[in-house]
């Protein structure tokens, strides 16, 4: 009688599935949120990658007009951030999120018929408003729909999915730009409009969730801004948020103007950053689901920015090959800071935002990062490119100062929440 042979491949197959599961979001709502993120980022990325070409060739704007329009839209978006967050808390996160996607779809579909600087700024304002509304809705819905212990982990998976989507969108945009015809370039915002429409429908099909409801008296749209300790947390976190400007603005300019590294290295740095975020974001976000853990992550991010700044400084006077190696190290360090800062930020906003006003507090929390995104490109470029490569050390010192101030401020807000919470019941309501 033949004896059946044990399946020697079974343990390895189970091990492979277990290893793969580490890179996949858990089934259910988390996976749906990641699918939505890929769709949204692909739609956004397909236009953002080629938007300057579209604005100059199709709309007929100068580079100065494009920059001025983006600045105006950024200022208006900054002013509207907190009121829009308050509106999300009133009308419901899921509903506001879907409306925001529909608004973006309409705005992108209008781009091919936009004429002149005024029309350009008008469409930008609609998109900026929709993005602020959508971000507040998405964050509030995710926090309401996710258990406290899984909020940071789900956010990490969502961010990895966003990077995958942006990469797919950039590939599609690159194909259109390679074709180079007017029709191919006009197709970019239309493709984004289609993707936003799909997103709006997808969001409406997400499950309704229960959210905690704040039983305190109704607050105005400015109540979160009047929470001075929390606002201080936002501003301190804004200093730590420097990694985005370093990766997307300063490092490319510095490579081109201050080092002997080949310009083609820029593409590889982008690939390195994207790959590390996709692979490591979930792992690097561990232990940020407490306020002390989130603060530690932000402090480590500041140290990583300091290390990257040192590498970039020494690349200034190095020959091409050593300079390239140093810039790769700088990019990796800034990406490490990005991963740590993102995890720390999710932990802070999920733990410090009061129940029932999460969207408003998330919007207030983003103010520091928005201010940094507006002011840092000019300041950092002047420091490290125009003034001296030693400006990297000034930048690192400002980031470290923000990280050191963040801890006491966040712990103070946590203590206030702990004192206030026993006096308040926190019922839950069904929302769509």
């Amino acid at each position: 009688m033949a004896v059946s042979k044990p399946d020697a491949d079974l343990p390895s197959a189970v091990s492979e599935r277990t290893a793969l599961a580490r890179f996949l979001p858990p089934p259910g709502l988390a996976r749906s949120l990641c699918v939505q993120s890929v769709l949204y980022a692909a739609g956004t990325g397909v236009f953002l990658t080629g938007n300057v070409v579209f604005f100059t060739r199709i709309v007929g704007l100068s580079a100065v007009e494009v920059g001025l329009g983006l600045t105006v839209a950024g200022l208006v978006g900054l002013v509207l951030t907190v009121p829009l967050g308050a509106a999300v808390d009133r009308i419901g996160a899921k509903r506001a999120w879907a409306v925001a996607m529909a608004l973006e779809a309409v705005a992108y579909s209008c781009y091919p018929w936009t004429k002149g600087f005024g029309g350009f700024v008008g469409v930008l304002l609609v998109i900026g408003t929709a993005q602020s509304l959508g971000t507040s809705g998405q964050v509030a819905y995710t926090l309401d729909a996710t258990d406290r212990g899984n909020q940071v982990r789900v956010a990490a998976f969502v961010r990895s999915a966003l990077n995958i989507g942006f990469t797919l969108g950039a590939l599609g945009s690159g194909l259109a730009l390679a074709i180079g015809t007017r029709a191919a370039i006009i197709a970019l915002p239309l493709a984004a409009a289609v993707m936003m429409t799909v997103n709006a429908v997808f969001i409406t099909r997400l499950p309704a969730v229960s959210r905690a409801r704040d039983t305190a008296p109704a607050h105005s749209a400015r109540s979160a801004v009047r929470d001075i300790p929390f606002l201080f947390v936002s501003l301190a976190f804004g200093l730590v948020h420097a990694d985005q400007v370093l990766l997307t603005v300063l490092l490319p300019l510095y490579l081109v103007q201050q080092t002997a590294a080949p310009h083609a290295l820029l593409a590889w740095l982008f690939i390195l950053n994207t790959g590390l975020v996709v692979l490591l974001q979930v792992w690097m976000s561990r232990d940020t689901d407490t306020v002390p853990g989130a603060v530690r992550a932000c402090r480590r991010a500041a140290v990583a920015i300091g290390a990257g700044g040192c590498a970039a400084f020494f690349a200034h006077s190095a020959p091409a090959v050593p300079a390239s190696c140093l810039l790769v190290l700088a990019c990796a360090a800034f990406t490490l800071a990005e991963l740590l800062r993102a995890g720390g930020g999710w932990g802070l906003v999920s733990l410090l935002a009061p129940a029932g006003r999460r969207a408003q507090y998330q919007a207030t929390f983003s103010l520091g990062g928005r201010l940094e995104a507006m002011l840092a490109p000019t300041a950092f470029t002047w420091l490290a490119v125009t003034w001296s490569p030693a400006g990297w050390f000034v930048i690192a010192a400002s980031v470290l100062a923000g990280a050191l101030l963040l801890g006491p401020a966040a712990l103070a807000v946590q203590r206030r929440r702990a004192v206030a919470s026993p006096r308040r019941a926190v019922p839950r309501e069904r929302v769509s």
Side-chain angles (χ1 to χ4, degrees), residues 219-316:
H219 290 266
S220 72
R222 295 180 294 165
S223 62
V225 179
R226 289 174 176 169
D227 189 341
I228 302 303
F230 186 83
L231 186 61
F232 191 83
V233 170
S234 167
L235 297 176
F237 184 78
L239 291 172
V240 183
H241 204 282
D243 54 84
Q244 289 300 291
V245 173
L246 296 179
L247 284 164
T248 62
V249 179
L250 183 55
L251 193 63
L253 285 174
Y254 187 78
L255 183 152
V256 171
Q257 297 188 20
Q258 296 291 326
T259 75
H263 296 179
L265 181 63
L266 287 172
W268 293 104
L269 295 182
F270 173 79
I271 293 171
L272 173 64
N273 170 258
T274 303
L276 290 177
V277 171
V278 171
L279 293 175
L280 300 180
Q281 183 64 82
V282 176
W283 182 65
M284 293 297 298
S285 300
R286 297 177 306 166
D287 303 324
T288 58
D289 53 356
T290 64
V291 171
V295 169
R296 278 195 301 271
C298 291
R299 289 175 177 170
R300 291 167 182 166
V303 172
I305 286 177
C310 289
F313 170 79
F314 288 112
H316 169 69

Side-chain angles (χ1 to χ4, degrees), residues 190-217:
L190 296 179
V194 171
M195 297 297 287
M196 295 307 156
T197 302
V198 173
N199 263 282
V201 175
F202 189 95
I203 291 167
T204 61
R205 296 177 179 275
L206 291 174
V209 298
S210 298
R211 67 176 179 180
R213 186 178 182 183
D214 197 343
T215 57

Side-chain angles (χ1 to χ4, degrees), residues 36 58 78 123 173 186 231 233 262 304 411:
Q36 186 279 329
I58 307 302
L78 180 67
V123 175
S173 179
I186 288 177
L231 186 61
V233 170
L411 292 173

